[in-house]
Structure formats: C-alpha cells, structure tokens
Coordinates of all heavy atoms in Angstrom, one line a residue:
M1 N -78.0 -26.0 -107.4 CA -77.6 -25.3 -106.2 C -76.1 -24.9 -106.4 O -75.3 -25.7 -106.8 CB -77.7 -26.3 -105.1 CG -77.2 -25.7 -103.8 SD -77.6 -26.9 -102.5 CE -76.8 -26.2 -101.2
K2 N -75.8 -23.6 -106.2 CA -74.4 -23.1 -106.3 C -73.7 -23.3 -105.1 O -74.2 -23.1 -104.0 CB -74.5 -21.7 -106.7 CG -74.9 -21.4 -108.1 CD -74.7 -20.0 -108.5 CE -75.0 -19.8 -110.0 NZ -74.6 -18.5 -110.5
I3 N -72.4 -23.6 -105.2 CA -71.5 -23.6 -104.1 C -71.1 -22.2 -103.8 O -71.0 -21.4 -104.7 CB -70.3 -24.5 -104.4 CG1 -70.7 -25.9 -104.7 CG2 -69.3 -24.5 -103.3 CD1 -69.7 -26.9 -105.2
A4 N -70.8 -21.9 -102.5 CA -70.5 -20.5 -102.1 C -69.4 -19.9 -102.9 O -69.4 -18.8 -103.3 CB -70.2 -20.5 -100.6
S5 N -68.3 -20.7 -103.2 CA -67.2 -20.1 -103.9 C -67.6 -19.8 -105.4 O -66.9 -18.9 -105.9 CB -66.0 -21.1 -103.9 OG -66.4 -22.3 -104.6
E6 N -68.6 -20.4 -105.9 CA -69.0 -20.0 -107.2 C -69.8 -18.7 -107.3 O -69.9 -18.1 -108.3 CB -69.9 -21.1 -107.8 CG -69.2 -22.5 -108.0 CD -70.2 -23.5 -108.5 OE1 -71.4 -23.3 -108.5 OE2 -69.7 -24.7 -108.7
T7 N -70.3 -18.3 -106.2 CA -71.1 -17.1 -106.2 C -70.3 -15.8 -105.8 O -70.8 -14.7 -105.8 CB -72.3 -17.2 -105.2 OG1 -71.8 -17.4 -103.9 CG2 -73.2 -18.3 -105.6
L8 N -69.0 -16.1 -105.4 CA -68.2 -14.9 -105.0 C -67.8 -14.1 -106.2 O -67.5 -14.6 -107.3 CB -66.9 -15.4 -104.3 CG -67.1 -16.1 -103.0 CD1 -65.7 -16.7 -102.5 CD2 -67.7 -15.2 -102.0
A9 N -67.7 -12.8 -106.0 CA -67.3 -11.9 -107.1 C -65.8 -12.1 -107.3 O -65.1 -12.4 -106.4 CB -67.6 -10.5 -106.7
P10 N -65.3 -11.8 -108.5 CA -63.9 -11.9 -108.7 C -63.1 -10.8 -107.8 O -63.7 -9.8 -107.4 CB -63.7 -11.5 -110.2 CG -65.0 -11.0 -110.6 CD -66.0 -11.4 -109.7
P11 N -61.9 -11.1 -107.5 CA -61.2 -10.2 -106.6 C -61.0 -8.8 -107.3 O -60.8 -8.7 -108.4 CB -59.8 -10.9 -106.4 CG -59.7 -11.9 -107.5 CD -61.1 -12.2 -107.9
T12 N -61.1 -7.8 -106.4 CA -60.9 -6.5 -106.9 C -59.4 -6.1 -106.8 O -58.6 -6.9 -106.2 CB -61.7 -5.5 -106.0 OG1 -61.2 -5.5 -104.7 CG2 -63.2 -5.8 -106.0
S13 N -59.1 -4.9 -107.3 CA -57.7 -4.5 -107.2 C -57.3 -4.4 -105.7 O -56.1 -4.6 -105.3 CB -57.4 -3.2 -108.0 OG -58.2 -2.2 -107.5
A14 N -58.2 -3.9 -104.9 CA -57.9 -3.8 -103.4 C -57.6 -5.2 -102.8 O -56.7 -5.3 -102.0 CB -59.1 -3.1 -102.7
D15 N -58.4 -6.2 -103.2 CA -58.2 -7.5 -102.7 C -56.8 -8.0 -103.2 O -56.1 -8.6 -102.4 CB -59.2 -8.5 -103.3 CG -60.6 -8.2 -102.8 OD1 -60.8 -7.6 -101.8 OD2 -61.6 -8.6 -103.5
L16 N -56.5 -7.8 -104.4 CA -55.2 -8.2 -104.9 C -54.0 -7.5 -104.2 O -53.0 -8.1 -103.9 CB -55.1 -8.0 -106.4 CG -56.0 -8.8 -107.3 CD1 -55.9 -8.5 -108.7 CD2 -55.7 -10.3 -107.1
E17 N -54.2 -6.2 -103.8 CA -53.2 -5.5 -103.1 C -53.0 -6.1 -101.7 O -51.9 -6.2 -101.2 CB -53.6 -4.0 -103.0 CG -53.3 -3.2 -104.2 CD -51.8 -3.3 -104.7 OE1 -50.9 -3.1 -103.8 OE2 -51.6 -3.6 -105.9
M18 N -54.1 -6.5 -101.1 CA -54.0 -7.1 -99.7 C -53.3 -8.5 -99.8 O -52.5 -8.8 -99.0 CB -55.4 -7.3 -99.1 CG -55.9 -6.0 -98.5 SD -57.4 -6.2 -97.5 CE -58.5 -6.8 -98.7
I19 N -53.6 -9.2 -100.8 CA -53.0 -10.5 -101.0 C -51.5 -10.3 -101.3 O -50.7 -11.1 -100.7 CB -53.6 -11.3 -102.2 CG1 -55.1 -11.7 -101.8 CG2 -52.8 -12.5 -102.6 CD1 -55.9 -12.2 -102.9
K20 N -51.1 -9.4 -102.1 CA -49.7 -9.1 -102.3 C -49.0 -8.7 -101.0 O -47.9 -9.1 -100.7 CB -49.5 -8.0 -103.3 CG -49.8 -8.4 -104.7 CD -49.6 -7.2 -105.7 CE -50.0 -7.6 -107.1 NZ -49.9 -6.4 -108.0
R21 N -49.7 -7.8 -100.2 CA -49.1 -7.4 -98.9 C -49.0 -8.6 -98.0 O -47.9 -8.7 -97.3 CB -50.0 -6.3 -98.3 CG -49.6 -5.8 -97.0 CD -48.3 -5.0 -97.0 NE -48.0 -4.6 -95.7 CZ -46.7 -4.6 -95.2 NH1 -45.7 -5.0 -95.9 NH2 -46.5 -4.2 -94.0
A22 N -50.0 -9.4 -97.9 CA -49.9 -10.6 -97.0 C -48.8 -11.5 -97.4 O -48.0 -12.0 -96.6 CB -51.2 -11.3 -97.0
F23 N -48.6 -11.7 -98.7 CA -47.6 -12.6 -99.2 C -46.2 -12.0 -98.9 O -45.3 -12.7 -98.5 CB -47.7 -12.8 -100.7 CG -46.7 -13.8 -101.3 CD1 -46.9 -15.1 -101.1 CD2 -45.7 -13.4 -102.1 CE1 -46.0 -16.0 -101.6 CE2 -44.7 -14.3 -102.6 CZ -44.9 -15.6 -102.3
A24 N -46.1 -10.7 -99.0 CA -44.8 -10.0 -98.6 C -44.5 -10.2 -97.1 O -43.4 -10.4 -96.7 CB -44.9 -8.5 -99.0
L25 N -45.6 -10.1 -96.3 CA -45.4 -10.3 -94.9 C -45.0 -11.7 -94.5 O -44.2 -12.0 -93.6 CB -46.7 -9.9 -94.1 CG -47.0 -8.4 -94.1 CD1 -48.4 -8.1 -93.6 CD2 -45.9 -7.6 -93.4
I26 N -45.6 -12.7 -95.2 CA -45.2 -14.1 -95.0 C -43.7 -14.3 -95.3 O -43.0 -15.0 -94.6 CB -46.1 -15.0 -95.9 CG1 -47.5 -15.1 -95.5 CG2 -45.5 -16.4 -96.0 CD1 -48.4 -15.7 -96.4
N27 N -43.2 -13.6 -96.3 CA -41.8 -13.7 -96.7 C -40.9 -12.9 -95.7 O -39.8 -13.3 -95.4 CB -41.5 -13.3 -98.1 CG -42.1 -14.3 -99.1 OD1 -42.0 -15.5 -98.9 ND2 -42.6 -13.8 -100.2
E28 N -41.5 -11.8 -95.2 CA -40.7 -11.0 -94.3 C -40.6 -11.6 -92.9 O -39.6 -11.4 -92.2 CB -41.4 -9.6 -94.2 CG -40.6 -8.6 -93.3 CD -41.3 -7.2 -93.3 OE1 -42.2 -7.0 -94.2 OE2 -40.9 -6.4 -92.4
F29 N -41.7 -12.3 -92.4 CA -41.7 -12.9 -91.1 C -41.9 -14.4 -91.2 O -42.9 -14.9 -90.7 CB -42.8 -12.3 -90.3 CG -42.7 -10.8 -90.1 CD1 -43.4 -9.9 -90.8 CD2 -41.8 -10.3 -89.1 CE1 -43.3 -8.5 -90.7 CE2 -41.7 -8.9 -88.9 CZ -42.4 -8.0 -89.7
P30 N -41.0 -15.2 -91.8 CA -41.2 -16.6 -92.0 C -41.3 -17.4 -90.7 O -41.9 -18.4 -90.6 CB -40.0 -17.1 -92.8 CG -38.9 -16.0 -92.5 CD -39.7 -14.7 -92.3
Q31 N -40.7 -16.8 -89.6 CA -40.8 -17.5 -88.3 C -42.2 -17.6 -87.8 O -42.6 -18.4 -86.9 CB -39.9 -16.7 -87.2 CG -40.4 -15.4 -86.8 CD -40.0 -14.2 -87.7 OE1 -39.6 -14.4 -88.8 NE2 -40.2 -13.0 -87.2
C32 N -43.1 -16.7 -88.3 CA -44.5 -16.7 -87.9 C -45.3 -17.8 -88.6 O -46.5 -18.1 -88.2 CB -45.2 -15.4 -88.2 SG -44.4 -14.0 -87.3
F33 N -44.8 -18.4 -89.6 CA -45.4 -19.4 -90.5 C -44.7 -20.7 -90.5 O -44.9 -21.5 -91.5 CB -45.6 -18.8 -91.9 CG -46.4 -17.4 -91.8 CD1 -45.6 -16.3 -91.8 CD2 -47.7 -17.4 -91.8 CE1 -46.3 -15.1 -91.7 CE2 -48.4 -16.2 -91.7 CZ -47.7 -15.0 -91.7
W34 N -44.0 -21.0 -89.5 CA -43.2 -22.3 -89.4 C -44.0 -23.5 -89.6 O -43.6 -24.5 -90.0 CB -42.4 -22.3 -88.1 CG -43.3 -22.2 -86.9 CD1 -43.6 -21.1 -86.2 CD2 -43.9 -23.3 -86.2 NE1 -44.4 -21.3 -85.2 CE2 -44.6 -22.7 -85.1 CE3 -43.9 -24.6 -86.4 CZ2 -45.4 -23.5 -84.2 CZ3 -44.7 -25.4 -85.5 CH2 -45.4 -24.8 -84.4
H35 N -45.3 -23.4 -89.1 CA -46.2 -24.6 -89.1 C -46.9 -24.8 -90.4 O -47.6 -25.8 -90.5 CB -47.1 -24.5 -87.9 CG -48.0 -23.3 -87.9 ND1 -47.4 -22.0 -87.7 CD2 -49.2 -23.1 -88.2 CE1 -48.4 -21.1 -87.8 NE2 -49.5 -21.7 -88.1
W36 N -46.8 -23.8 -91.3 CA -47.5 -23.9 -92.6 C -46.8 -24.8 -93.5 O -45.5 -24.8 -93.6 CB -47.7 -22.6 -93.2 CG -48.8 -21.7 -92.6 CD1 -49.3 -21.8 -91.3 CD2 -49.4 -20.6 -93.2 NE1 -50.2 -20.8 -91.2 CE2 -50.3 -20.1 -92.3 CE3 -49.3 -20.0 -94.5 CZ2 -51.1 -19.0 -92.6 CZ3 -50.1 -18.9 -94.8 CH2 -51.0 -18.4 -93.8
Q37 N -47.5 -25.6 -94.3 CA -46.9 -26.4 -95.3 C -46.5 -25.4 -96.5 O -47.1 -24.4 -96.6 CB -47.8 -27.5 -95.9 CG -48.2 -28.5 -94.8 CD -47.0 -29.3 -94.4 OE1 -46.2 -29.7 -95.1 NE2 -46.9 -29.6 -93.1
P38 N -45.5 -25.8 -97.3 CA -45.1 -24.9 -98.4 C -46.3 -24.4 -99.3 O -46.4 -23.3 -99.7 CB -44.1 -25.7 -99.2 CG -43.5 -26.6 -98.2 CD -44.6 -26.9 -97.2
E39 N -47.2 -25.4 -99.6 CA -48.3 -25.0 -100.5 C -49.3 -24.0 -99.8 O -50.0 -23.3 -100.4 CB -49.1 -26.2 -101.0 CG -49.7 -27.1 -99.9 CD -48.8 -28.1 -99.3 OE1 -47.6 -28.1 -99.6 OE2 -49.3 -28.9 -98.5
E40 N -49.3 -24.0 -98.4 CA -50.2 -23.1 -97.7 C -49.6 -21.6 -97.8 O -50.3 -20.7 -97.5 CB -50.3 -23.5 -96.3 CG -51.1 -24.7 -96.1 CD -51.2 -25.2 -94.6 OE1 -50.1 -25.2 -94.0 OE2 -52.3 -25.4 -94.1
R41 N -48.3 -21.5 -98.0 CA -47.7 -20.2 -98.1 C -48.2 -19.4 -99.3 O -47.8 -18.2 -99.4 CB -46.2 -20.3 -98.0 CG -45.8 -20.8 -96.6 CD -44.3 -20.7 -96.5 NE -44.0 -21.2 -95.1 CZ -43.0 -20.7 -94.4 NH1 -42.3 -19.7 -94.8 NH2 -42.7 -21.2 -93.2
A42 N -48.8 -20.0 -100.2 CA -49.4 -19.3 -101.4 C -50.6 -18.6 -100.9 O -51.7 -19.2 -100.7 CB -49.7 -20.3 -102.5
C43 N -50.4 -17.3 -100.6 CA -51.5 -16.5 -99.9 C -52.6 -16.3 -100.9 O -52.4 -16.0 -102.1 CB -50.9 -15.2 -99.4 SG -52.1 -14.3 -98.4
N44 N -53.8 -16.4 -100.4 CA -55.0 -16.0 -101.2 C -56.0 -15.4 -100.2 O -55.8 -15.2 -99.0 CB -55.6 -17.3 -101.8 CG -56.0 -18.4 -100.9 OD1 -56.6 -18.1 -99.9 ND2 -55.5 -19.6 -101.2
S45 N -57.2 -15.0 -100.8 CA -58.1 -14.2 -100.0 C -58.7 -15.1 -98.9 O -59.2 -14.5 -97.9 CB -59.3 -13.7 -100.9 OG -59.9 -14.8 -101.6
K46 N -58.7 -16.4 -99.0 CA -59.2 -17.3 -98.0 C -58.4 -17.3 -96.7 O -58.9 -17.6 -95.6 CB -59.4 -18.7 -98.5 CG -60.4 -18.8 -99.6 CD -60.5 -20.2 -100.1 CE -61.5 -20.3 -101.2 NZ -61.6 -21.7 -101.7
N47 N -57.1 -17.1 -96.8 CA -56.3 -17.2 -95.6 C -55.7 -15.9 -95.2 O -54.7 -15.9 -94.4 CB -55.2 -18.3 -95.8 CG -54.2 -18.0 -96.9 OD1 -54.2 -17.0 -97.5 ND2 -53.4 -19.0 -97.2
L48 N -56.2 -14.8 -95.6 CA -55.8 -13.5 -95.1 C -55.9 -13.4 -93.5 O -55.0 -12.8 -92.9 CB -56.5 -12.3 -95.8 CG -56.1 -12.1 -97.2 CD1 -57.0 -11.0 -97.8 CD2 -54.7 -11.6 -97.3
R49 N -57.0 -13.8 -93.0 CA -57.2 -13.8 -91.6 C -56.1 -14.6 -90.9 O -55.7 -14.3 -89.8 CB -58.6 -14.3 -91.2 CG -59.7 -13.3 -91.4 CD -60.9 -13.9 -90.9 NE -62.1 -13.1 -91.3 CZ -63.0 -12.7 -90.4 NH1 -62.9 -13.0 -89.2 NH2 -64.0 -11.9 -90.9
L50 N -55.8 -15.8 -91.4 CA -54.8 -16.6 -90.9 C -53.4 -15.9 -90.8 O -52.6 -16.1 -89.9 CB -54.6 -17.9 -91.6 CG -55.7 -19.0 -91.3 CD1 -55.5 -20.2 -92.2 CD2 -55.5 -19.4 -89.9
V51 N -53.1 -15.2 -91.9 CA -51.9 -14.4 -91.9 C -51.8 -13.5 -90.7 O -50.9 -13.4 -90.0 CB -51.7 -13.7 -93.2 CG1 -50.5 -12.7 -93.2 CG2 -51.6 -14.7 -94.4
V52 N -52.9 -12.7 -90.5 CA -53.0 -11.8 -89.4 C -52.8 -12.5 -88.0 O -52.0 -12.1 -87.2 CB -54.4 -11.0 -89.4 CG1 -54.5 -10.2 -88.1 CG2 -54.4 -10.1 -90.6
E53 N -53.5 -13.7 -87.9 CA -53.4 -14.4 -86.6 C -52.0 -15.0 -86.4 O -51.5 -14.9 -85.2 CB -54.4 -15.6 -86.7 CG -55.9 -15.2 -86.6 CD -56.8 -16.3 -86.7 OE1 -56.4 -17.4 -86.6 OE2 -58.0 -16.0 -87.0
C54 N -51.4 -15.5 -87.4 CA -50.0 -16.0 -87.3 C -49.0 -14.9 -86.9 O -48.1 -15.1 -86.1 CB -49.6 -16.7 -88.5 SG -50.4 -18.3 -88.8
L55 N -49.2 -13.7 -87.6 CA -48.3 -12.6 -87.3 C -48.4 -12.2 -85.8 O -47.5 -11.9 -85.1 CB -48.6 -11.4 -88.2 CG -48.1 -11.6 -89.6 CD1 -48.7 -10.5 -90.5 CD2 -46.6 -11.6 -89.7
R56 N -49.7 -12.1 -85.4 CA -49.9 -11.7 -84.0 C -49.4 -12.8 -83.0 O -48.9 -12.5 -81.9 CB -51.4 -11.5 -83.8 CG -52.0 -10.2 -84.4 CD -53.4 -10.1 -84.1 NE -54.0 -8.9 -84.6 CZ -55.3 -8.7 -84.8 NH1 -56.2 -9.7 -84.5 NH2 -55.7 -7.6 -85.3
G57 N -49.7 -14.0 -83.3 CA -49.4 -15.1 -82.4 C -47.9 -15.5 -82.3 O -47.5 -15.9 -81.2
Y58 N -47.2 -15.4 -83.4 CA -45.8 -15.9 -83.4 C -44.8 -14.8 -83.6 O -43.6 -15.1 -83.6 CB -45.7 -17.0 -84.4 CG -46.6 -18.2 -84.2 CD1 -47.7 -18.4 -85.0 CD2 -46.4 -19.0 -83.1 CE1 -48.5 -19.5 -84.8 CE2 -47.2 -20.1 -82.9 CZ -48.3 -20.3 -83.7 OH -49.1 -21.4 -83.5
G59 N -45.2 -13.6 -83.9 CA -44.3 -12.6 -84.3 C -43.8 -11.7 -83.1 O -44.4 -11.7 -82.0
D60 N -42.9 -10.9 -83.5 CA -42.4 -9.8 -82.5 C -43.3 -8.6 -82.7 O -44.3 -8.6 -83.3 CB -40.9 -9.5 -82.8 CG -40.6 -9.0 -84.2 OD1 -41.6 -8.8 -84.9 OD2 -39.5 -9.0 -84.5
S61 N -42.9 -7.5 -82.1 CA -43.7 -6.3 -82.1 C -43.8 -5.8 -83.6 O -44.9 -5.2 -83.9 CB -43.1 -5.2 -81.2 OG -41.8 -4.8 -81.6
Q62 N -42.8 -5.9 -84.4 CA -42.9 -5.5 -85.8 C -43.9 -6.3 -86.5 O -44.7 -5.8 -87.3 CB -41.5 -5.6 -86.5 CG -40.5 -4.6 -86.0 CD -41.0 -3.1 -86.2 OE1 -41.5 -2.5 -85.2 NE2 -41.0 -2.7 -87.4
A63 N -44.0 -7.6 -86.3 CA -45.0 -8.4 -86.9 C -46.3 -8.1 -86.5 O -47.3 -8.1 -87.2 CB -44.6 -9.9 -86.7
W64 N -46.5 -7.8 -85.2 CA -47.8 -7.4 -84.6 C -48.3 -6.2 -85.3 O -49.5 -6.1 -85.6 CB -47.7 -7.3 -83.1 CG -49.0 -7.3 -82.4 CD1 -49.7 -8.4 -82.0 CD2 -49.9 -6.2 -82.1 NE1 -50.9 -8.1 -81.4 CE2 -51.0 -6.7 -81.5 CE3 -49.8 -4.9 -82.3 CZ2 -52.1 -5.9 -81.1 CZ3 -50.8 -4.1 -82.0 CH2 -52.0 -4.6 -81.3
L65 N -47.4 -5.2 -85.4 CA -47.8 -3.9 -86.1 C -48.2 -4.2 -87.5 O -49.2 -3.6 -88.0 CB -46.7 -2.9 -86.0 CG -46.4 -2.4 -84.6 CD1 -45.2 -1.5 -84.6 CD2 -47.6 -1.6 -84.1
A66 N -47.5 -5.0 -88.2 CA -47.8 -5.4 -89.6 C -49.2 -6.1 -89.7 O -50.0 -5.8 -90.6 CB -46.7 -6.3 -90.2
A67 N -49.5 -6.9 -88.7 CA -50.8 -7.6 -88.6 C -51.9 -6.6 -88.4 O -53.0 -6.7 -89.0 CB -50.8 -8.6 -87.5
Q68 N -51.6 -5.6 -87.6 CA -52.7 -4.6 -87.4 C -53.0 -3.8 -88.6 O -54.1 -3.5 -88.9 CB -52.2 -3.6 -86.3 CG -52.3 -4.2 -84.9 CD -53.7 -4.7 -84.5 OE1 -54.0 -5.8 -84.6 NE2 -54.5 -3.7 -84.1
D69 N -51.9 -3.5 -89.4 CA -52.1 -2.8 -90.6 C -52.9 -3.6 -91.6 O -53.9 -3.1 -92.3 CB -50.8 -2.4 -91.2 CG -50.9 -1.7 -92.6 OD1 -51.5 -0.6 -92.6 OD2 -50.3 -2.2 -93.6
L70 N -52.6 -4.9 -91.8 CA -53.3 -5.8 -92.7 C -54.7 -5.9 -92.2 O -55.7 -5.9 -93.0 CB -52.6 -7.1 -92.8 CG -53.2 -8.1 -93.8 CD1 -53.1 -7.5 -95.2 CD2 -52.5 -9.4 -93.7
H71 N -54.9 -6.1 -90.9 CA -56.3 -6.2 -90.4 C -57.1 -5.0 -90.7 O -58.3 -5.1 -91.0 CB -56.2 -6.5 -88.9 CG -57.6 -6.7 -88.3 ND1 -58.3 -5.8 -87.6 CD2 -58.3 -7.9 -88.3 CE1 -59.4 -6.3 -87.2 NE2 -59.5 -7.5 -87.6
K72 N -56.6 -3.8 -90.5 CA -57.3 -2.6 -90.8 C -57.8 -2.5 -92.3 O -58.8 -2.1 -92.6 CB -56.5 -1.3 -90.5 CG -56.4 -1.1 -89.1 CD -55.5 0.1 -88.8 CE -55.2 0.3 -87.3 NZ -54.3 1.4 -87.1
R73 N -56.9 -3.0 -93.2 CA -57.2 -3.0 -94.6 C -58.3 -4.1 -94.9 O -59.1 -3.9 -95.8 CB -55.9 -3.3 -95.4 CG -54.9 -2.3 -95.4 CD -53.7 -2.7 -96.2 NE -52.6 -1.8 -95.9 CZ -51.6 -1.7 -96.8 NH1 -51.6 -2.3 -97.9 NH2 -50.6 -0.9 -96.5
L74 N -58.2 -5.2 -94.2 CA -59.1 -6.3 -94.4 C -60.5 -6.1 -93.9 O -61.5 -6.4 -94.5 CB -58.5 -7.5 -93.7 CG -59.2 -8.9 -93.8 CD1 -59.3 -9.3 -95.3 CD2 -58.5 -9.9 -93.0
T75 N -60.6 -5.4 -92.8 CA -61.9 -5.2 -92.1 C -63.0 -4.6 -93.0 O -64.1 -5.1 -93.1 CB -61.7 -4.4 -90.8 OG1 -60.8 -5.1 -90.0 CG2 -63.0 -4.2 -90.1
P76 N -62.7 -3.5 -93.7 CA -63.8 -2.9 -94.6 C -64.2 -3.9 -95.6 O -65.4 -3.9 -96.0 CB -63.1 -1.7 -95.2 CG -62.0 -1.3 -94.3 CD -61.5 -2.6 -93.7
C77 N -63.3 -4.7 -96.2 CA -63.7 -5.7 -97.2 C -64.6 -6.8 -96.7 O -65.5 -7.3 -97.3 CB -62.5 -6.3 -97.8 SG -61.4 -5.2 -98.7
L78 N -64.4 -7.1 -95.4 CA -65.3 -8.2 -94.8 C -66.7 -7.7 -94.5 O -67.6 -8.5 -94.3 CB -64.6 -8.7 -93.5 CG -63.3 -9.4 -93.7 CD1 -62.7 -9.8 -92.4 CD2 -63.5 -10.7 -94.6
Q79 N -66.8 -6.4 -94.3 CA -68.1 -5.9 -94.0 C -69.1 -5.8 -95.2 O -70.2 -5.6 -95.0 CB -68.0 -4.5 -93.3 CG -67.3 -4.6 -92.0 CD -67.0 -3.2 -91.4 OE1 -67.2 -2.2 -92.1 NE2 -66.5 -3.2 -90.2
N80 N -68.5 -5.9 -96.4 CA -69.4 -5.8 -97.6 C -70.1 -7.1 -97.8 O -69.9 -8.1 -97.4 CB -68.5 -5.5 -98.8 CG -68.0 -4.1 -98.7 OD1 -68.6 -3.2 -98.1 ND2 -66.9 -3.8 -99.4

C-alpha cells in the first residue's frame, strides 16, 4: 500500500514558481506569519494554502491582494 505522498508527481516548474512566490511573500509580510515556527516558514507545496490564509487573515490590503494573486495561481493546479 502506497502512502499518498509517495504517489504525488514531482513538482513542476509552475509549482516551484508558486513556492518561490509564496516564500517571497512570507519574507515580505512577516507580520502575517508571527505564529509560525521558524521551520514552518520553509514554504512548500503543502502549505501554499496556509500562506494565502495567513496573508488574508493577518495582513493589510497589500497582503490581501498578494494572497489573491497567489490563490489565482494556485487554483488551476489544485483542479488537476
């Protein structure tokens, strides 16, 4: 029996771009991630949704707009 993470395809270049963008947003808006432990700030594909939620929940209007942009990029990938 395979574990779900073993059956996932390797990240595509689009996935890596989203991860890079999310990591940049974490650094740009650290006030939105005050409750994350330092090791959680290492962004990966598993916590992209959390990045969006934190930007929306704890950020200003600029963070909210950045969250919307990341969410738009993320949505087509989740539908596959």
Side-chain angles (χ1 to χ4, degrees):
M1 180 173 173
K2 287 189 173 186
I3 298 173
S5 63
E6 294 175 355
T7 61
L8 294 176
T12 65
S13 61
D15 295 335
L16 294 176
E17 283 302 313
M18 281 191 297
I19 292 168
K20 287 179 186 177
R21 177 68 179 137
F23 187 73
L25 291 171
I26 290 169
N27 289 325
E28 185 177 344
F29 299 102
Q31 70 275 14
C32 299
F33 304 94
W34 57 269
H35 58 289
W36 283 23
Q37 297 296 320
E39 62 273 6
E40 289 177 313
R41 290 188 183 217
C43 189
N44 58 48
S45 59
K46 292 180 183 178
N47 62 6
L48 286 172
R49 283 184 190 230
L50 279 175
V51 172
V52 171
E53 290 174 15
C54 289
L55 289 168
R56 286 179 178 165
Y58 300 109
D60 58 10
S61 61
Q62 290 299 104
W64 197 88
L65 291 173
Q68 287 302 98
D69 179 58
L70 185 61
H71 184 259
K72 285 179 187 175
R73 295 178 191 205
L74 182 59
T75 302
C77 295
L78 295 175
Q79 293 174 355
N80 291 337

